C-alpha cells in the first residue's frame, strides 16, 4: 500500500507540473478525478500553475478485505506548517485510484484521532449505517451537508472552518446579495459512498463527498453580480445581470465520537474545487 500511494504521489506531482489532463485518468477516479481535471482547466484559464510535490512520511491504514466490496486504504501525511493530508485510495477495475482526499492547512491542525488496529495491524472499516456512534456515518454526512445547504448551525458539530465558518459565510453572502437585489439558492448533494474507520476511542473517522451548487438570481433590473475566486476565473471575471451559478466538488473527513459521548463531531479537513460556472 505504501508503494501504491507513493506511485500515485509521483504520478500526481508530474501531472500537476505539466497540467496533464490525460494522465490523471490513471491516477484518480470519480469525483476526485473530475475535481483535479477542473483545477487544471482553471489554472490554464488563469495562466497559473498548480502546486506539485510529494507529501512526506505518509502513514497508511488498511482495512481487511470485505467480500463483494472494493479494497481501500487511507494514507495520512503531515508536513508541519504546511498541511495534513488524508488520501483515500480504492481498487477499481482499472487498478488502484485516489477516490477521496481532504486537507487541513491551518498552522496548527486540529487533533487527529488514533485509528484502531487489530492484532494483525488491520484497521476496522465500518458500514454507512454502523451503530454505536453519535449517529451513523451516513447520517453525519447528511447532517453536515444539510447545515451548509440551509446555512444553519448544527449543534452536533464543533465550530471550525468547514462548519460554523461556512454557515456564517453563506449567511453574509445571502444578506449582501439580497441588499443588492439578488437571491441565493444553495444545494449540497451527497456523492459516492461514505467510508469509515473505527478510532481507538470507539468513534470513527468518516470520509464523504458532495456536489454543491450556489445559484444567484437577480430580482431587480440593473443589479449586477461578479463571482470570486476560481468561479470568477471560469466566467472570465464577467458581471451578470440575470443569473449565475457555480458548481463545486467537495470532500470532507470528520471524527464522529461514540454513542453517549458529550464531544461534538469535528470536521478535520476538506478538498474543494469549482467544476463549472456560468451565467447571463
Amino acid at each position: 500500500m505504501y508503494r501504491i500511494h507513493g506511485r500515485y504521489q509521483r504520478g500526481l506531482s508530474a501531472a500537476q507540473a505539466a497540467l496533464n489532463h490525460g494522465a490523471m485518468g490513471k491516477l484518480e477516479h470519480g469525483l476526485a478525478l473530475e475535481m483535479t481535471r477542473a483545477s487544471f482547466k482553471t489554472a490554464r484559464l488563469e495562466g497559473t500553475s498548480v502546486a506539485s510535490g510529494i507529501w512526506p512520511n505518509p502513514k497508511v491504514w488498511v482495512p481487511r478485505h470485505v467480500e463483494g466490496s472494493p479494497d481501500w486504504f487511507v494514507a495520512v501525511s503531515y508536513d508541519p506548517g504546511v498541511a495534513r493530508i488524508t488520501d483515500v485510495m480504492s481498487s477499481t477495475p482499472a487498478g488502484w485510484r485516489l477516490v477521496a482526499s481532504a486537507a487541513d492547512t491551518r498552522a496548527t491542525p486540529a487533533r487527529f484521532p488514533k485509528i484502531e488496529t487489530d492484532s494483525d495491524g488491520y484497521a476496522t472499516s465500518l458500514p454507512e449505517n454502523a451503530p454505536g456512534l453519535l449517529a451513523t456515518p451516513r447520517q453525519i454526512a447528511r447532517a453536515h451537508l444539510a447545515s451548509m445547504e440551509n446555512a444553519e448551525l448544527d449543534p452536533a458539530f464543533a465550530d471550525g472552518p468547514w462548519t460554523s465558518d461556512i454557515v456564517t459565510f453563506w449567511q453574509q453572502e445571502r444578506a449582501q446579495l439580497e441588499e443588492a437585489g439578488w437571491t441565493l439558492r444553495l444545494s449540497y448533494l451527497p456523492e459516492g459512498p461514505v467510508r469509515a474507520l473505527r478510532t481507538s476511542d470507539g468513534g470513527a473517522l468518516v470520509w464523504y463527498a458532495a456536489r454543491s451548487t450556489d445559484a444567484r438570481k437577480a430580482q431587480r433590473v440593473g443589479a449586477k453580480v461578479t463571482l470570486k475566486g476560481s468561479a470568477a476565473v471560469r466566467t472570465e471575471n464577467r458581471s451578470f445581470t440575470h443569473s449565475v451559478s457555480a458548481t463545486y466538488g467537495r470532500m470532507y473527513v470528520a471524527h464522529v465520537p461514540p454513542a453517549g459521548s458529550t464531544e461534538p463531531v469535528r470536521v478535520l479537513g476538506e478538498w474543494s474545487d469549482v467544476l463549472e460556472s456560468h451565467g447571463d
Side-chain angles (χ1 to χ4, degrees), residues 97-204:
R97 299 290 187 270
L98 180 106
V99 293
S101 187
D104 187 341
T105 59
R106 291 175 289 183
T108 304
R111 175 178 53 84
F112 201 74
K114 182 179 179 181
I115 297 174
E116 182 180 82
T117 55
D118 62 22
S119 59
D120 294 321
Y122 285 98
T124 301
S125 63
L126 300 174
E128 295 185 356
N129 61 348
L133 306 170
L134 284 184
T136 69
R138 172 61 70 180
Q139 288 171 334
I140 290 297
R142 290 187 178 275
H144 181 212
L145 300 179
S147 175
M148 294 182 290
E149 179 174 281
N150 298 324
E152 295 179 352
L153 293 173
D154 187 326
F157 290 82
D159 290 346
W162 307 292
T163 51
S164 56
D165 290 359
I166 292 296
V167 167
T168 298
F169 170 81
W170 284 130
Q171 290 174 345
Q172 293 174 344
E173 180 77 359
R174 176 169 278 132
Q176 292 170 2
L177 284 167
E178 289 178 350
E179 187 175 348
W182 285 69
T183 60
L184 173 65
R185 180 176 57 82
L186 301 170
S187 69
Y188 280 74
L189 300 178
E191 175 130 344
V194 176
R195 298 177 176 88
L197 291 180
R198 176 76 69 190
T199 52
S200 59
D201 62 358

Side-chain angles (χ1 to χ4, degrees), residues 181-249:
W182 285 69
T183 60
L184 173 65
R185 180 176 57 82
L186 301 170
S187 69
Y188 280 74
L189 300 178
E191 175 130 344
V194 176
R195 298 177 176 88
L197 291 180
R198 176 76 69 190
T199 52
S200 59
D201 62 358
L205 274 172
V206 179
W207 288 264
Y208 50 97
R211 193 177 297 262
S212 78
T213 299
D214 43 277
R216 299 159 177 82
K217 187 173 182 180
Q219 299 295 298
R220 189 171 67 219
V221 176
K224 294 183 178 181
V225 156
T226 302
L227 298 179
K228 303 171 186 175
S230 297
V233 174
R234 287 301 194 91
T235 55
E236 301 177 332
N237 294 297
R238 296 197 309 271
S239 295
F240 300 94
T241 57
H242 297 99
S243 64
V244 61
S245 66
T247 298
Y248 294 80

